[in-house]
Amino acid sequence: MKHLYWIGAVALIALGIFATMKFNVGPETVTKIGFTHVSQPEEMGDLVLANLQAEIKGAPVLILGVTPNKIEEMELLKGFIEKTQGTDSKYDVIIVEPMLPYVELFREAVYIPVKDEMPRLVEGIKKARAEGLRVAVIVPNIYASQLLEANPVWKLKNEYQLDVTSLSISTFPVTREQEQHFEPKCFDGGAVDPAGTSAFGCMIRHTARRTYRKKLEPNKYSTMLEQTGPKDYLILFNRN
């Protein structure tokens, strides 16, 4: 009987290891806003501030990432930034990467090419902070996510020793089939990642998989907010 007990115990352990390997789809994260729908992008900006009040208040330098060519994501950020006005979380200085489309939504912004003029960006942030001003920087999402190494936000943190918080927005796949064509790609099993953006793509896929059985309301935006690191957040945002 004792012999059979140990055989059973070993089998259960092996089964547990197999299940973990087969069904674990990504790193642990924290859901801040569960899957929901909004009628306008600005509504999600309101929800972000409402659900991250303490985090935003404690983020005097906020890096905001968007999917290029997605006006609804810029509108979301515009709504979010406008919502901070009149609060102690107000962002006094807005810096925008000029290569992004729809930058005209932020008329009073300062335009700085982030990758080409990183020292100028850092100087501007440090000067603003010395004057007690809060800074928001709008860039492509692969520049903002702290999941990636050697991207602009990584350099701000590691080379320039700035304390930054990241909030990145991305579209997302809604079926397993769409994963195959989604950008940025997620490379599993140690496959070569030529663009160096796989960690971000895999996080999007990992988070999006929880939505695949959700009903998508027509003519609305489906969205959710996930914390992916100590000062790193991901918004999934699709026009249905």
Side-chain angles (χ1 to χ4, degrees), residues 2-188:
K2 187 176 181 180
H3 178 68
L4 292 175
Y5 169 80
W6 283 110
I7 292 176
V10 170
L12 286 173
I13 293 171
L15 182 61
I17 293 173
F18 172 78
T20 299
M21 293 176 63
K22 184 169 182 63
F23 298 110
N24 182 28
V25 295
E28 292 299 321
T29 60
V30 179
T31 300
K32 293 295 184 176
I33 299 176
F35 184 80
T36 188
H37 291 90
V38 295
S39 298
Q40 300 295 331
E42 293 84 354
E43 292 178 34
M44 185 55 176
D46 294 351
L47 288 175
V48 170
L49 185 58
N51 286 270
L52 293 182
Q53 287 188 30
E55 293 88 342
I56 297 301
K57 184 177 179 180
V61 180
L62 182 61
I63 312 301
L64 300 164
V66 295
T67 309
N69 296 314
K70 295 292 182 180
I71 189 171
E72 57 267 30
E73 296 185 17
M74 296 288 269
E75 291 171 339
L76 189 161
L77 291 186
K78 186 174 185 291
F80 166 77
I81 291 173
E82 288 179 349
K83 194 69 175 180
T84 68
Q85 303 301 305
T87 73
D88 51 9
S89 297
K90 174 186 176 182
Y91 286 96
D92 308 283
V93 178
I94 311 299
I95 299 173
V96 180
E97 167 60 61
M99 78 172 192
L100 286 171
Y102 313 115
V103 295
E104 62 273 10
L105 290 174
F106 303 91
R107 295 181 180 178
E108 298 182 1
V110 178
Y111 299 131
I112 299 179
V114 172
K115 288 185 72 173
D116 296 335
E117 298 187 27
M118 182 71 74
R120 180 185 166 205
L121 172 65
V122 172
E123 180 183 3
I125 292 174
K126 288 183 175 180
K127 181 179 179 181
R129 292 300 302 132
E131 297 175 3
L133 303 177
R134 290 165 55 89
V135 183
V137 184
I138 301 174
V139 295
N141 52 23
I142 58 172
Y143 288 12
S145 174
Q146 296 182 25
L147 296 168
L148 304 180
E149 294 185 2
N151 68 346
V153 78
W154 184 93
K155 292 180 180 179
L156 290 176
K157 289 180 59 180
N158 294 280
E159 294 183 7
Y160 294 98
Q161 303 300 304
L162 291 177
D163 183 14
V164 298
T165 298
S166 296
L167 181 63
S168 305
I169 312 173
S170 177
T171 56
F172 61 97
V174 296
T175 64
R176 293 269 181 164
E177 291 72 24
Q178 287 187 9
E179 291 178 358
Q180 306 303 315
H181 310 287
F182 185 79
E183 296 286 347
K185 291 188 179 299
C186 173
F187 294 94
D188 290 317

Side-chain angles (χ1 to χ4, degrees), residues 188-205:
D188 290 317
V192 175
D193 174 21
T197 56
S198 178
F200 186 51
C202 289
M203 180 58 72
I204 294 169
R205 186 184 74 177

Side-chain angles (χ1 to χ4, degrees), residues 207-221:
T207 306
R209 281 182 173 178
R210 283 178 259 155
T211 73
Y212 289 175
R213 294 185 180 181
K214 303 290 186 180
K215 181 180 179 180
L216 303 181
E217 297 183 18
N219 302 315
K220 288 194 174 183
Y221 299 88

